[in-house]
Amino acid sequence: MIDKVSGQLDSLIEGDFSKTERPKGNSELINLYDKVQILGDNFFHSQSNLENQRNQLDSVLTYMVDGIIATDRQGNIILANHAAQNQLNMTAEELLGKSLTDSLNIKDKFTFYDLLEKEPELVIDSVNSIGEAISLRTKFVLFRRESGFISGIIAVLHDTTAQEKNEREQKQFVSNVSHELRTPLTSVKAYLEALEDGALEDPEVARSFIGVSLNETNRMIRMISDLLTLSRIDQERLVLNKELINFVDFLTFQTNRLARLAKSNPLNSFSGNFQITTDFPEKPIWIEIDTDKITQVIDNIVGNALKYSPQGGEIHLTLSTQNRKLIVEISDQGIGIPKSDLPKIFSRFYRVDQARNSQTGGTGLGLSIVKNIIELHGGTIVAASEGIGKGTTFTLTLPYSEDLLDSNQDWDDTAEIEFE
């Protein structure tokens, strides 16, 4: 009997919680055996609860966006979740057992005991697992036992790269808007004051001053209109009114209209002799788009080609389809774009040539709006240039399916839209 109770205790010590047959005999030994079984049940439930809590903690740490690193009392890392591994571009094997100050590359400024005493908040520069430079706002918290004894440090790494970028862009945006509105307002104010001081008495001078003031006023109106459009895009309030059209006819109409504009040049916003050429397929290409907004896209790109090609030349448009995409390329022989500026030209208020842009009345918002309109349609737009004086090519794509017309059974394919 005693051997059976002893054997059951040995099983509990080894982690075996299975129950053996209840012995018979002395009631006191049976009582002892029952208590051993109750003790085993309590151990089993406690172990199960601890295992569940550990699994829950592992799940929380695994799916946290912030990086979490825990150390022992010597400052060596004993835990690093997936976020921390990605942020520091190191594997768990590379981090575990390594000094915290070495892993965060701060040992030249802080010792582990500095972190214990000061619990500073630091901004650490790092390169993540996909090669991006990131900023990590890092907080250190002492890890204490219930007795109050310090057993290590927990470091929380929060990636603030996107937040800091947004803050910089907001500040830059406010600065740019203030500058772009102040410049024409200052000009208008100066001309109005000149008219008030007597220039109004000279009809020719007065007409010139009024003309400049109207141009500057129109520039501000265009800018405010563009800002409102961007605001609606940012707030996801810009609605696309799509219709099924033959894009070949649509682009042909737009090209002919812009060719007439290039010859008449009513706003005197560009110079030079232009020739607009096309390479369009004869077969219709049916696609669903918001014609007003895609017209705005074409106007902006071709308009830039006219304004930034002071010697004139050829503006060539091609249209094709490939891999379920409609592709439009617009090339010019203008001043071109430096390769270093190409990634930035779709940013708001970004200008390659400030002086020339002020002369042509651009707001610096057009290409940003163009990019947003194309992306709202599910497409893409990119620019390519070999550099200054070598022209520019814009390539835009839109989703396209040859089955689109067949899926619209109520569409009369004999009734084509006439663009007038």
Side-chain angles (χ1 to χ4, degrees):
M1 173 73 69
I2 293 178
D3 290 341
K4 200 162 191 177
V5 173
S6 177
Q8 187 65 27
L9 283 171
D10 289 338
S11 297
L12 292 180
I13 293 172
E14 294 173 359
D16 181 3
F17 300 102
S18 59
K19 296 180 180 180
T20 58
E21 183 180 352
R22 193 167 185 261
K24 299 177 182 178
N26 188 301
S27 60
E28 290 182 358
L29 290 176
I30 292 175
N31 229 7
L32 177 61
Y33 178 84
D34 289 340
K35 290 182 179 180
V36 169
Q37 291 290 357
I38 293 173
L39 180 62
D41 290 339
N42 290 338
F43 278 165
F44 175 75
H45 291 306
S46 296
Q47 187 175 25
S48 296
N49 289 334
L50 287 173
E51 187 70 23
N52 289 334
Q53 289 176 7
R54 190 181 71 178
N55 290 336
Q56 290 173 359
L57 179 60
D58 287 344
S59 297
V60 170
L61 290 174
T62 298
Y63 293 105
M64 281 187 68
V65 176
D66 290 343
I68 301 294
I69 297 177
T71 75
D72 59 19
R73 58 185 300 183
Q74 282 77 40
N76 297 320
I77 296 174
I78 58 174
L79 179 147
N81 68 349
H82 291 310
Q85 295 170 35
N86 291 332
Q87 290 167 344
L88 299 177
N89 192 20
M90 298 175 73
T91 64
E93 290 75 15
E94 292 172 326
L95 285 170
L96 295 180
K98 188 176 179 181
S99 166
L100 176 64
T101 54
D102 284 341
S103 299
L104 299 181
N105 198 25
I106 58 173
K107 64 178 181 179
D108 57 332
K109 297 179 181 179
F110 296 92
T111 66
F112 179 68
Y113 296 102
D114 290 334
L115 302 181
L116 288 172
E117 294 175 1
K118 301 175 182 177
E119 297 183 57
E121 182 173 323
L122 308 177
V123 176
I124 297 171
D125 295 326
S126 181
V127 176
N128 64 17
S129 57
I130 59 176
E132 294 177 337
I134 59 174
S135 295
L136 300 174
R137 190 174 298 279
T138 307
K139 295 183 178 180
F140 300 94
V141 181
L142 299 184
F143 183 40
R144 299 176 183 270
R145 298 177 183 175
E146 290 185 4
S147 62
F149 182 77
I150 297 174
S151 57
I153 278 183
I154 296 176
V156 181
L157 314 178
H158 179 63
D159 188 348
T160 60
T161 309
Q163 178 184 342
E164 292 175 1
K165 180 176 180 289
N166 289 335
E167 290 175 355
R168 286 196 304 271
E169 288 180 348
Q170 288 176 0
K171 291 177 181 178
Q172 186 66 32
F173 183 77
V174 172
S175 174
N176 284 332
V177 170
S178 301
H179 172 75
E180 294 298 332
L181 289 177
R182 183 176 64 247
T183 300
L185 281 172
T186 301
S187 178
V188 169
K189 181 175 182 291
Y191 283 114
L192 290 176
E193 288 175 345
L195 290 171
E196 185 182 39
D197 290 341
L200 191 60
E201 305 301 326
D202 186 331
E204 187 174 345
V205 173
R207 190 179 300 110
S208 173
F209 284 6
I210 291 172
V212 173
S213 299
L214 284 174
N215 285 338
E216 295 293 347
T217 303
N218 288 333
R219 179 183 169 191
M220 285 188 287
I221 291 173
R222 289 196 301 271
M223 182 181 301
I224 292 171
S225 176
D226 288 346
L227 287 171
L228 289 174
T229 299
L230 287 172
S231 177
R232 287 195 292 270
I233 291 172
D234 290 342
Q235 298 176 28
E236 299 182 353
R237 290 170 46 210
L238 191 66
V239 179
L240 297 180
N241 298 313
K242 290 186 177 181
E243 54 185 312
L244 185 64
I245 66 163
N246 177 359
F247 197 82
V248 177
D249 284 354
F250 168 78
L251 196 55
T252 299
F253 171 79
Q254 301 300 335
T255 303
N256 292 337
R257 176 178 62 83
L258 291 165
R260 292 193 296 271
L261 176 65
K263 291 180 180 179
S264 61
N265 191 15
L267 298 178
N268 194 30
S269 58
F270 47 83
S271 60
N273 296 319
F274 293 94
Q275 181 182 8
I276 298 182
T277 61
T278 62
D279 182 9
F280 298 163
E282 295 182 2
K283 182 181 177 181
I285 298 176
W286 298 95
I287 188 172
E288 277 189 320
I289 60 169
D290 184 320
T291 55
D292 288 340
K293 293 180 176 59
I294 295 299
T295 296
Q296 185 178 356
V297 169
I298 302 299
D299 280 358
N300 186 283
I301 297 175
V302 176
N304 282 344
L306 294 171
K307 286 188 288 186
Y308 300 122
S309 301
Q311 305 304 320
E314 180 182 355
I315 298 173
H316 187 63
L317 290 85
T318 65
L319 173 62
S320 61
T321 58
Q322 183 179 3
N323 298 329
R324 301 181 68 85
K325 291 181 181 179
L326 180 146
I327 304 170
V328 179
E329 289 189 356
I330 303 174
S331 302
D332 64 54
Q333 297 174 329
I335 62 174
I337 301 172
K339 291 185 178 181
S340 59
D341 290 310
L342 284 173
K344 311 170 190 174
I345 62 171
F346 295 104
S347 301
R348 299 176 185 184
F349 289 110
Y350 188 81
R351 293 173 174 176
V352 176
D353 188 336
Q354 293 282 353
R356 184 178 296 276
N357 211 293
S358 63
Q359 294 170 4
T360 55
T363 64
L365 298 172
L367 287 179
S368 178
I369 293 174
V370 162
K371 185 174 187 289
N372 279 281
I373 289 175
I374 293 298
E375 289 179 347
L376 281 173
H377 280 80
T380 62
I381 182 169
V382 294
S385 177
E386 292 300 318
I388 296 295
K390 297 185 178 180
T392 304
T393 297
F394 284 89
T395 303
L396 63 91
T397 67
L398 294 171
Y400 167 71
S401 172
E402 293 181 350
D403 303 327
L404 181 60
L405 188 60
D406 296 336
S407 65
N408 288 268
Q409 299 297 329
D410 59 340
W411 178 261
D412 182 3
D413 60 3
T414 63
E416 297 185 6
I417 296 176
E418 292 186 2
F419 299 95
E420 298 180 352

